[in-house]
Amino acid sequence: MQTIPESVAPAAPRARSTKKVVLITLAVILGCAGIAAATGAVWVKHTFYPSAMTPVSLTAKEKEAFDSKLQVLNNPATVPPEEANRTLVINEREVNAYLAQQELGESVQVKFGEGQVSAAVILTAPEDFPIVPNQKIRLRFTFGTSLSPEHKLSLKLDDLTLGGISLPNSWLGDMKGVDLIAQNVESDPALQKFLAGIQSLEIHNGTLRLVLNK
């Protein structure tokens, strides 16, 4: 007598499982696409339609301390000979508050890093700019800064970024790595006099430390 083979298990549950995986995968992909689109919109607005920056305002105590530092810079001959009294530590808030006093607080903001100064700047791209000419944009300039033992201050453009993207050096007229101060110090007596009054200069995260000459 011929034995009737047992029927195989139905494939429906497996099919439903596969369908569920596909649906979950599609949901994840669409979700990631939505996040990417939202992030991209924020990036475009931040970079190409930037809102004015918030100017920094010092408290009365901070302003008093900063004013005393400015007086020392303006009259270095009156500083006592002790190095402790010839040392000035200027922080980011003070610099940005000074920029706000010059009516630049909504378009320029400075940060101090290790041996570097960076500045976020909102400006209108010039007509010959390779991309978005005449468009209001937010850029970040990063400068490497140092003072040699011969008291020669160096300020070199390390990078220029648009929305976090480093722009090619050729677009900037090959300015990266160029010492901007060395090009101008010979023709600027006021800059020469200022540099002659500095014994040492150090830049750390958040602060600029100057020691003035006797």
Side-chain angles (χ1 to χ4, degrees), residues 37-52 122 135-138 162-163:
T39 303
V42 171
W43 181 87
V44 169
K45 184 179 185 304
H46 179 81
T47 304
F48 297 107
Y49 303 94
S51 302
I122 296 175
Q135 170 72 41
K136 191 176 182 182
I137 55 177
R138 184 193 302 264
L162 175 68

Side-chain angles (χ1 to χ4, degrees), residues 34 36 44 46 61 66 76 80 83 145 150 175 180-181 187 204 210:
V44 169
H46 179 81
K61 185 176 181 180
F66 184 51
E83 182 172 316
T145 308
E150 294 78 24
M175 286 184 60
L180 303 180
I181 288 184
S187 59
H204 301 290
L210 289 171

Side-chain angles (χ1 to χ4, degrees), residues 57-211:
S57 179
L58 300 178
T59 65
K61 185 176 181 180
E62 289 174 328
K63 188 175 185 305
E64 182 181 357
F66 184 51
D67 286 344
S68 66
K69 297 174 187 178
L70 290 178
Q71 289 177 6
V72 171
L73 286 174
N74 291 330
N75 301 284
T78 63
V79 181
E82 295 81 10
E83 182 172 316
N85 294 320
R86 292 185 288 111
T87 301
L88 299 177
V89 178
I90 301 173
N91 60 50
E92 290 173 359
R93 278 181 54 78
E94 293 170 331
V95 173
N96 288 315
Y98 179 80
L99 292 172
Q101 291 176 7
Q102 311 306 311
E103 299 184 352
L104 295 171
E106 293 187 348
S107 57
V108 181
Q109 192 172 72
V110 171
K111 291 189 70 176
F112 294 139
E114 284 298 319
Q116 289 185 330
V117 178
S118 67
V121 180
I122 296 175
L123 50 76
T124 300
E127 292 184 359
D128 59 350
F129 200 62
I131 55 175
V132 292
N134 299 316
Q135 170 72 41
K136 191 176 182 182
I137 55 177
R138 184 193 302 264
L139 297 168
R140 179 168 292 278
F141 296 80
T142 302
F143 298 94
T145 308
S146 63
L147 185 69
S148 72
E150 294 78 24
H151 304 291
K152 292 183 178 180
L153 182 63
S154 173
L155 183 68
K156 296 181 180 180
L157 178 63
D158 285 344
D159 203 5
L160 177 58
T161 59
L162 175 68
I165 300 172
S166 179
L167 299 182
N169 195 22
S170 60
W171 289 10
L172 310 176
D174 296 321
M175 286 184 60
K176 289 186 181 181
V178 174
D179 192 335
L180 303 180
I181 288 184
Q183 289 189 333
N184 297 284
V185 68
E186 297 298 332
S187 59
D188 191 337
L191 182 57
Q192 292 179 27
K193 186 175 181 180
F194 175 76
L195 295 178
I198 299 176
Q199 177 177 310
S200 67
L201 177 148
E202 297 176 5
I203 297 179
H204 301 290
N205 289 324
T207 60
L208 166 66
R209 183 179 183 273
L210 289 171
V211 178

Side-chain angles (χ1 to χ4, degrees), residues 6-14:
E6 295 183 3
S7 60
V8 296
R14 184 174 182 181

